[in-house]
CSV table of all heavy atoms in Angstrom, one decimal:
chain,number,residue,atom,x,y,z
A,1,THR,N,41.2,143.2,24.9
A,1,THR,CA,41.7,143.0,23.5
A,1,THR,C,40.4,142.4,22.8
A,1,THR,O,40.2,142.9,21.6
A,1,THR,CB,42.8,141.9,23.4
A,1,THR,OG1,43.9,142.4,24.3
A,1,THR,CG2,43.2,141.5,22.1
A,2,LEU,N,39.7,141.6,23.3
A,2,LEU,CA,38.4,141.1,22.6
A,2,LEU,C,37.5,142.2,22.2
A,2,LEU,O,37.0,142.5,21.2
A,2,LEU,CB,37.7,140.1,23.4
A,2,LEU,CG,38.4,138.7,23.5
A,2,LEU,CD1,37.5,137.9,24.5
A,2,LEU,CD2,38.4,138.2,22.1
A,3,VAL,N,37.3,143.1,23.3
A,3,VAL,CA,36.2,144.3,23.0
A,3,VAL,C,36.9,145.3,21.9
A,3,VAL,O,36.2,145.7,21.1
A,3,VAL,CB,35.9,145.0,24.3
A,3,VAL,CG1,35.2,146.3,24.0
A,3,VAL,CG2,35.2,144.2,25.2
A,4,ALA,N,38.2,145.5,22.0
A,4,ALA,CA,38.8,146.3,21.0
A,4,ALA,C,38.8,145.7,19.6
A,4,ALA,O,38.4,146.5,18.7
A,4,ALA,CB,40.3,146.6,21.4
A,5,THR,N,39.1,144.5,19.5
A,5,THR,CA,38.9,143.8,18.2
A,5,THR,C,37.5,143.9,17.6
A,5,THR,O,37.4,144.1,16.5
A,5,THR,CB,39.4,142.3,18.3
A,5,THR,OG1,40.7,142.4,18.9
A,5,THR,CG2,39.3,141.6,17.0
A,6,LYS,N,36.5,143.6,18.5
A,6,LYS,CA,35.1,143.6,18.0
A,6,LYS,C,34.7,145.2,17.7
A,6,LYS,O,34.1,145.4,16.6
A,6,LYS,CB,34.2,143.1,19.2
A,6,LYS,CG,32.7,143.1,18.9
A,6,LYS,CD,32.3,142.5,17.6
A,6,LYS,CE,31.0,142.6,17.2
A,6,LYS,NZ,30.0,143.1,17.9
A,7,ARG,N,35.1,146.1,18.4
A,7,ARG,CA,34.9,147.5,18.0
A,7,ARG,C,35.4,147.8,16.6
A,7,ARG,O,34.7,148.6,15.9
A,7,ARG,CB,35.5,148.5,19.0
A,7,ARG,CG,34.6,148.4,20.3
A,7,ARG,CD,35.1,149.4,21.2
A,7,ARG,NE,34.1,149.5,22.5
A,7,ARG,CZ,34.3,150.0,23.5
A,7,ARG,NH1,35.4,150.8,23.8
A,7,ARG,NH2,33.4,149.9,24.5
A,8,VAL,N,36.8,147.4,16.3
A,8,VAL,CA,37.1,147.7,15.1
A,8,VAL,C,36.4,147.0,14.0
A,8,VAL,O,36.2,147.5,12.9
A,8,VAL,CB,38.8,147.2,15.0
A,8,VAL,CG1,39.3,147.3,13.6
A,8,VAL,CG2,39.6,148.1,15.9
A,9,LEU,N,36.1,145.7,14.2
A,9,LEU,CA,35.3,145.0,13.2
A,9,LEU,C,33.9,145.8,13.0
A,9,LEU,O,33.5,145.8,11.8
A,9,LEU,CB,35.1,143.6,13.7
A,9,LEU,CG,34.3,142.7,12.8
A,9,LEU,CD1,35.0,142.5,11.5
A,9,LEU,CD2,33.9,141.4,13.4
A,10,ALA,N,33.2,146.1,14.0
A,10,ALA,CA,31.9,146.7,13.9
A,10,ALA,C,32.1,148.0,13.1
A,10,ALA,O,31.3,148.3,12.3
A,10,ALA,CB,31.2,146.9,15.3
A,11,TRP,N,33.0,148.8,13.5
A,11,TRP,CA,33.3,150.0,12.8
A,11,TRP,C,33.6,149.8,11.2
A,11,TRP,O,33.1,150.5,10.5
A,11,TRP,CB,34.5,150.8,13.4
A,11,TRP,CG,34.9,152.0,12.7
A,11,TRP,CD1,34.3,153.2,13.0
A,11,TRP,CD2,36.1,152.1,11.9
A,11,TRP,NE1,35.1,154.1,12.0
A,11,TRP,CE2,36.0,153.3,11.4
A,11,TRP,CE3,36.9,151.1,11.5
A,11,TRP,CZ2,37.1,153.8,10.4
A,11,TRP,CZ3,37.9,151.7,10.4
A,11,TRP,CH2,38.0,152.9,10.0
A,12,ARG,N,34.6,148.8,11.0
A,12,ARG,CA,34.8,148.7,9.6
A,12,ARG,C,33.5,148.2,8.9
A,12,ARG,O,33.4,148.6,7.7
A,12,ARG,CB,35.9,147.5,9.6
A,12,ARG,CG,36.4,147.2,8.1
A,12,ARG,CD,37.2,148.3,7.6
A,12,ARG,NE,37.8,147.8,6.3
A,12,ARG,CZ,37.6,148.5,5.2
A,12,ARG,NH1,36.9,149.6,5.3
A,12,ARG,NH2,38.2,148.0,4.2
A,13,ILE,N,32.7,147.3,9.3
A,13,ILE,CA,31.6,147.0,8.7
A,13,ILE,C,30.6,148.0,8.4
A,13,ILE,O,30.1,148.3,7.4
A,13,ILE,CB,30.8,145.8,9.4
A,13,ILE,CG1,31.7,144.5,9.2
A,13,ILE,CG2,29.5,145.4,8.9
A,13,ILE,CD1,31.3,143.3,10.2
A,14,ALA,N,30.5,148.9,9.5
A,14,ALA,CA,29.5,150.1,9.4
A,14,ALA,C,30.2,151.0,8.3
A,14,ALA,O,29.4,151.7,7.6
A,14,ALA,CB,29.5,150.7,10.8
A,15,GLU,N,31.4,151.2,8.3
A,15,GLU,CA,32.0,152.0,7.2
A,15,GLU,C,31.8,151.6,5.8
A,15,GLU,O,31.7,152.3,4.8
A,15,GLU,CB,33.6,152.3,7.5
A,15,GLU,CG,33.8,153.1,8.6
A,15,GLU,CD,33.4,154.6,8.6
A,15,GLU,OE1,33.7,155.2,7.5
A,15,GLU,OE2,32.6,155.0,9.4
A,16,LEU,N,32.0,150.2,5.7
A,16,LEU,CA,31.7,149.7,4.4
A,16,LEU,C,30.2,149.7,3.9
A,16,LEU,O,29.9,149.9,2.7
A,16,LEU,CB,32.2,148.2,4.3
A,16,LEU,CG,33.6,147.8,4.4
A,16,LEU,CD1,34.0,146.4,4.8
A,16,LEU,CD2,34.3,148.2,3.0
A,17,MET,N,29.4,149.6,4.9
A,17,MET,CA,28.0,149.8,4.7
A,17,MET,C,27.7,151.2,4.2
A,17,MET,O,27.0,151.5,3.2
A,17,MET,CB,27.1,149.5,5.9
A,17,MET,CG,27.1,148.0,6.3
A,17,MET,SD,26.4,147.7,7.9
A,17,MET,CE,24.6,148.4,7.5
A,18,LYS,N,28.3,152.3,4.8
A,18,LYS,CA,28.1,153.6,4.5
A,18,LYS,C,28.7,153.9,3.1
A,18,LYS,O,28.0,154.4,2.1
A,18,LYS,CB,28.8,154.6,5.4
A,18,LYS,CG,28.0,155.0,6.5
A,18,LYS,CD,28.8,156.1,7.3
A,18,LYS,CE,29.0,155.6,8.8
A,18,LYS,NZ,29.8,156.5,9.5
A,19,LYS,N,29.9,153.3,2.8
A,19,LYS,CA,30.6,153.5,1.5
A,19,LYS,C,29.7,152.9,0.3
A,19,LYS,O,29.6,153.5,-0.8
A,19,LYS,CB,31.9,153.0,1.4
A,19,LYS,CG,32.7,153.2,0.2
A,19,LYS,CD,34.1,152.6,0.4
A,19,LYS,CE,35.0,152.8,-0.9
A,19,LYS,NZ,36.2,152.2,-0.8
A,20,GLN,N,29.2,151.8,0.6
A,20,GLN,CA,28.3,151.0,-0.4
A,20,GLN,C,26.9,151.4,-0.4
A,20,GLN,O,26.1,150.7,-1.2
A,20,GLN,CB,28.6,149.5,-0.2
A,20,GLN,CG,30.0,149.1,-0.6
A,20,GLN,CD,30.3,147.6,-0.2
A,20,GLN,OE1,29.2,146.8,-0.3
A,20,GLN,NE2,31.5,147.2,0.1
A,21,ARG,N,26.5,152.2,0.6
A,21,ARG,CA,25.1,152.6,0.7
A,21,ARG,C,24.2,151.4,1.0
A,21,ARG,O,23.2,151.3,0.2
A,21,ARG,CB,24.6,153.4,-0.4
A,21,ARG,CG,25.4,154.7,-0.6
A,21,ARG,CD,25.0,155.6,-1.8
A,21,ARG,NE,25.8,156.8,-1.7
A,21,ARG,CZ,25.6,157.8,-2.6
A,21,ARG,NH1,24.5,157.8,-3.2
A,21,ARG,NH2,26.4,158.9,-2.4
A,22,VAL,N,24.6,150.5,1.9
A,22,VAL,CA,23.9,149.4,2.3
A,22,VAL,C,23.1,149.6,3.6
A,22,VAL,O,23.9,149.9,4.4
A,22,VAL,CB,24.7,148.1,2.2
A,22,VAL,CG1,24.0,146.9,2.7
A,22,VAL,CG2,25.4,147.8,0.8
A,23,THR,N,21.9,149.4,3.5
A,23,THR,CA,21.1,149.6,4.9
A,23,THR,C,21.3,148.4,5.7
A,23,THR,O,21.7,147.3,5.2
A,23,THR,CB,19.7,149.9,4.6
A,23,THR,OG1,19.1,148.8,4.0
A,23,THR,CG2,19.4,151.1,3.8
A,24,LYS,N,21.0,148.5,7.0
A,24,LYS,CA,21.0,147.4,7.9
A,24,LYS,C,20.0,146.3,7.3
A,24,LYS,O,20.3,145.0,7.4
A,24,LYS,CB,20.6,147.7,9.3
A,24,LYS,CG,21.7,148.5,10.1
A,24,LYS,CD,21.2,148.7,11.5
A,24,LYS,CE,22.3,149.5,12.3
A,24,LYS,NZ,21.8,149.8,13.7
A,25,THR,N,18.8,146.7,7.0
A,25,THR,CA,17.8,145.8,6.5
A,25,THR,C,18.3,145.0,5.3
A,25,THR,O,18.2,143.8,5.2
A,25,THR,CB,16.5,146.4,6.1
A,25,THR,OG1,16.0,147.2,7.3
A,25,THR,CG2,15.5,145.6,5.8
A,26,LEU,N,18.9,145.7,4.4
A,26,LEU,CA,19.5,145.0,3.1
A,26,LEU,C,20.6,144.1,3.5
A,26,LEU,O,20.6,143.1,2.9
A,26,LEU,CB,19.8,146.2,2.1
A,26,LEU,CG,20.3,145.7,0.7
A,26,LEU,CD1,19.4,144.7,0.1
A,26,LEU,CD2,20.7,146.7,-0.1
A,27,LEU,N,21.4,144.6,4.3
A,27,LEU,CA,22.6,143.7,4.6
A,27,LEU,C,22.1,142.4,5.2
A,27,LEU,O,22.6,141.3,5.0
A,27,LEU,CB,23.6,144.5,5.5
A,27,LEU,CG,24.9,143.7,5.9
A,27,LEU,CD1,25.7,143.3,4.6
A,27,LEU,CD2,25.7,144.4,6.9
A,28,ALA,N,21.1,142.6,6.3
A,28,ALA,CA,20.7,141.4,6.8
A,28,ALA,C,19.9,140.5,6.1
A,28,ALA,O,20.1,139.2,5.9
A,28,ALA,CB,19.6,141.8,7.9
A,29,LYS,N,19.1,141.1,4.9
A,29,LYS,CA,18.6,140.1,4.0
A,29,LYS,C,19.6,139.5,3.0
A,29,LYS,O,19.5,138.3,2.8
A,29,LYS,CB,17.7,141.1,3.0
A,29,LYS,CG,17.0,140.4,2.0
A,29,LYS,CD,16.0,141.3,1.2
A,29,LYS,CE,15.2,140.5,0.2
A,29,LYS,NZ,14.2,141.4,-0.4
A,30,ARG,N,20.6,140.4,2.6
A,30,ARG,CA,21.8,139.5,1.9
A,30,ARG,C,22.5,138.5,2.7
A,30,ARG,O,23.0,137.5,2.1
A,30,ARG,CB,22.7,140.7,1.4
A,30,ARG,CG,22.1,141.5,0.2
A,30,ARG,CD,23.2,142.6,-0.1
A,30,ARG,NE,22.7,143.5,-1.2
A,30,ARG,CZ,23.2,144.5,-1.6
A,30,ARG,NH1,24.4,144.9,-1.1
A,30,ARG,NH2,22.6,145.3,-2.6
A,31,MET,N,22.6,138.7,4.0
A,31,MET,CA,23.3,137.8,4.9
A,31,MET,C,22.4,136.6,5.3
A,31,MET,O,22.9,135.6,5.8
A,31,MET,CB,23.8,138.5,6.1
A,31,MET,CG,24.9,139.3,6.0
A,31,MET,SD,25.3,140.2,7.5
A,31,MET,CE,25.7,138.9,8.5
A,32,LYS,N,21.2,136.7,4.9
A,32,LYS,CA,20.2,135.7,5.3
A,32,LYS,C,20.1,135.5,6.7
A,32,LYS,O,20.1,134.3,7.2
A,32,LYS,CB,20.4,134.4,4.5
A,32,LYS,CG,20.4,134.5,3.1
A,32,LYS,CD,20.5,133.2,2.3
A,32,LYS,CE,20.3,133.5,0.8
A,32,LYS,NZ,21.1,132.8,-0.1
A,33,THR,N,20.1,136.7,7.4
A,33,THR,CA,19.9,136.6,8.8
A,33,THR,C,18.9,137.7,9.3
A,33,THR,O,18.3,138.5,8.5
A,33,THR,CB,21.3,136.9,9.5
A,33,THR,OG1,21.3,136.7,11.0
A,33,THR,CG2,21.8,138.3,9.3
A,34,SER,N,18.7,137.8,10.7
A,34,SER,CA,17.8,138.8,11.1
A,34,SER,C,18.5,140.2,11.3
A,34,SER,O,19.6,140.2,11.5
A,34,SER,CB,17.1,138.3,12.3
A,34,SER,OG,18.2,138.4,13.3
A,35,ARG,N,17.5,141.2,11.4
A,35,ARG,CA,18.2,142.4,11.8
A,35,ARG,C,18.7,142.4,13.2
A,35,ARG,O,19.8,143.1,13.5
A,35,ARG,CB,17.1,143.5,11.7
A,35,ARG,CG,16.9,144.4,10.6
A,35,ARG,CD,17.9,145.4,10.3
A,35,ARG,NE,18.2,146.5,11.4
A,35,ARG,CZ,17.6,147.5,11.5
A,35,ARG,NH1,16.7,147.9,10.7
A,35,ARG,NH2,17.8,148.5,12.5
A,36,ALA,N,18.1,141.6,14.1
A,36,ALA,CA,18.7,141.6,15.6
A,36,ALA,C,20.1,141.1,15.5
A,36,ALA,O,20.9,141.4,16.2
A,36,ALA,CB,17.7,140.8,16.2
A,37,ALA,N,20.3,140.0,14.6
A,37,ALA,CA,21.6,139.3,14.5
A,37,ALA,C,22.6,140.4,13.9
A,37,ALA,O,23.7,140.6,14.4
A,37,ALA,CB,21.6,138.2,13.6
A,38,LEU,N,22.2,141.1,13.0
A,38,LEU,CA,23.0,142.3,12.5
A,38,LEU,C,23.3,143.4,13.5
A,38,LEU,O,24.5,143.8,13.6
A,38,LEU,CB,22.4,142.8,11.2
A,38,LEU,CG,23.3,143.9,10.5
A,38,LEU,CD1,24.7,143.4,10.2
A,38,LEU,CD2,22.6,144.5,9.3
A,39,ASP,N,22.3,143.7,14.3
A,39,ASP,CA,22.5,144.8,15.4
A,39,ASP,C,23.5,144.2,16.3
A,39,ASP,O,24.3,145.0,16.8
A,39,ASP,CB,21.1,145.0,16.1
A,39,ASP,CG,20.3,145.8,15.1
A,39,ASP,OD1,20.9,146.6,14.2
A,39,ASP,OD2,19.1,145.8,15.4
């Protein structure tokens, strides 16, 4: 259940990033975190 929930969350965030044309680097910067944490 934990893995399934996490997969849905990761998928949803990735879909929102695509829709909004936000790169990983830009999202990490806006979140004030590292690319590794975002990965």
Side-chain angles (χ1 to χ4, degrees):
T1 301
L2 287 174
V3 170
T5 301
K6 176 59 184 348
R7 284 183 175 170
V8 170
L9 177 67
W11 172 80
R12 181 72 174 121
I13 289 171
E15 288 297 307
L16 287 165
M17 289 172 65
K18 277 190 234 174
K19 183 178 180 183
Q20 297 177 23
R21 298 181 183 193
V22 175
T23 65
K24 286 182 179 181
T25 302
L26 182 57
L27 184 60
K29 185 176 181 178
R30 289 180 181 173
M31 290 174 60
K32 298 182 176 142
T33 193
S34 67
R35 262 291 297 274
L38 181 59
D39 285 338

